[in-house]
Amino acid sequence: MRFGWVLAGALVLAACGQETGSAPGGAAEGGPGAGPASAQSELPARPALDYKALSGYDDGWYLSPGWPGEYPPGFAVLDADVKVPGRARPNPGDPQDVSCLLPQYANYQLWNNTRTQQDQLEYFVATRKVMVNVLEDAEVEYIGASGLVPLSLKKGDQLTYLRYVGEGYTVMSFNGQEFDINEGELHNVTDLGNAELEEDLWVRVSCLGGGHAWLMFDEVVREAGIYPSPITGYGEAADILPGDVDSVREMAQPDAYGLDVRGTEVIPPPEE
């Protein structure tokens, strides 16, 4: 999402089961998966997209398939005739020059495999790279091909934050290699907890009447008729049934997206 947020606190210690060198979240490169691999359904392989060439992001960003989170966000179209502004390419610096009519009841969420296949959706995340400083000698574990593997760090070493995966795990770069490391292990031995992180979540959708548009999550979720995707179960998602529209509206509350149901950022009260 295109706003700064601060990592704080130790996160859940749980292995995702993915191997180093695989696409984040256990997804095949260019596929729609993100989050724990156990929550992904098998989808037909599609040619990998060159996100950098496609989008024009510079080398200060890490581009990878899928959206992050053990419960990745999503958005549902509850009203009829919802037309949203999008882009011809996924770059926030470009004008929103594509008007896209979305199908009523469509639920754009990574786990909605039926919608993903039907519309040939493409999800990817652009994360601004952040340098993370090691504050003391430490040994942390990363996910290797056969399980957890120790990684020795020295005070003064630097890692590069690349993206969040899910279940507390983050992709970090160190000495030219990528590692999936639990943030909880880094919190007390690095300055990761003070890092302001920035990410853009993109999806390419099919528009009614033809054509495609790239939509950025934190923009489209602010549009009238668009609501956060309901969570019905881990790894489960489907288009909205007409009879469930009212309940989905009622369930839409200020949540982890940092938005209220009308798309306004939720500003927490100042600490006393």
Side-chain angles (χ1 to χ4, degrees):
M1 301 173 197
R2 202 166 182 78
F3 50 83
W5 52 285
V6 178
L7 287 174
L11 298 176
V12 178
L13 293 171
C16 300
Q18 70 185 84
E19 299 182 3
T20 300
S22 64
E29 190 72 25
S38 59
Q40 306 308 312
S41 300
E42 293 295 327
L43 291 176
R46 298 206 297 270
L49 295 180
D50 184 339
Y51 300 114
K52 183 176 180 180
L54 178 71
S55 66
Y57 277 91
D58 63 31
D59 290 337
W61 294 79
Y62 182 77
L63 311 181
S64 54
W67 285 2
E70 48 268 35
Y71 285 88
F75 59 94
V77 184
L78 300 190
D79 294 344
D81 302 319
V82 172
K83 186 175 290 187
V84 299
R87 294 177 173 85
R89 71 168 186 165
N91 189 301
D94 288 1
Q96 291 177 295
D97 54 0
V98 179
S99 182
C100 184
L101 181 63
L102 298 177
Q104 188 178 16
Y105 311 127
N107 183 19
Y108 298 93
Q109 210 277 350
L110 282 170
W111 296 335
N112 188 358
N113 294 334
T114 299
R115 173 61 58 181
T116 295
Q117 291 176 297
Q118 177 179 318
D119 289 359
Q120 293 288 286
L121 303 180
E122 293 285 353
Y123 293 86
F124 84 93
V125 56
T127 311
R128 187 180 292 279
K129 298 176 184 178
V130 176
M131 299 305 298
V132 177
N133 299 297
V134 178
L135 305 178
E136 61 184 69
D137 293 355
E139 186 174 273
V140 300
E141 293 180 323
Y142 67 91
I143 302 176
S146 57
L148 295 177
V149 181
L151 176 65
S152 295
L153 301 173
K154 298 294 184 182
K155 181 178 179 180
D157 284 344
Q158 283 193 320
L159 302 94
T160 304
Y161 179 97
L162 299 180
R163 70 162 278 170
Y164 183 68
V165 180
E167 294 184 343
Y169 277 81
T170 290
V171 182
M172 308 288 292
S173 175
F174 179 61
N175 288 341
Q177 298 185 55
E178 293 182 9
F179 301 91
D180 296 351
I181 302 175
N182 189 285
E183 289 180 0
E185 294 199 49
L186 297 172
H187 184 72
N188 293 324
V189 299
T190 72
D191 59 358
L192 177 60
N194 297 322
E196 292 190 2
L197 307 176
E198 187 177 2
E199 60 185 14
D200 298 337
L201 308 183
W202 292 98
V203 59
R204 188 186 68 185
V205 301
S206 296
C207 308
L208 292 178
H212 298 85
W214 283 97
L215 307 179
M216 191 162 68
F217 172 78
D218 67 328
E219 293 176 342
V220 70
V221 79
R222 290 174 166 81
E223 295 294 325
I226 303 291
Y227 284 73
S229 296
I231 297 174
T232 58
Y234 185 73
E236 301 175 358
D239 281 355
I240 308 301
L241 296 175
D244 292 337
V245 167
D246 289 342
S247 62
V248 172
R249 292 186 202 274
E250 292 171 1
M251 287 189 298
Q253 299 293 331
D255 58 5
Y257 302 163
L259 307 169
D260 69 15
V261 295
R262 296 304 175 198
T264 306
E265 289 189 27
V266 177
I267 308 299
E271 295 183 3
E272 296 182 358

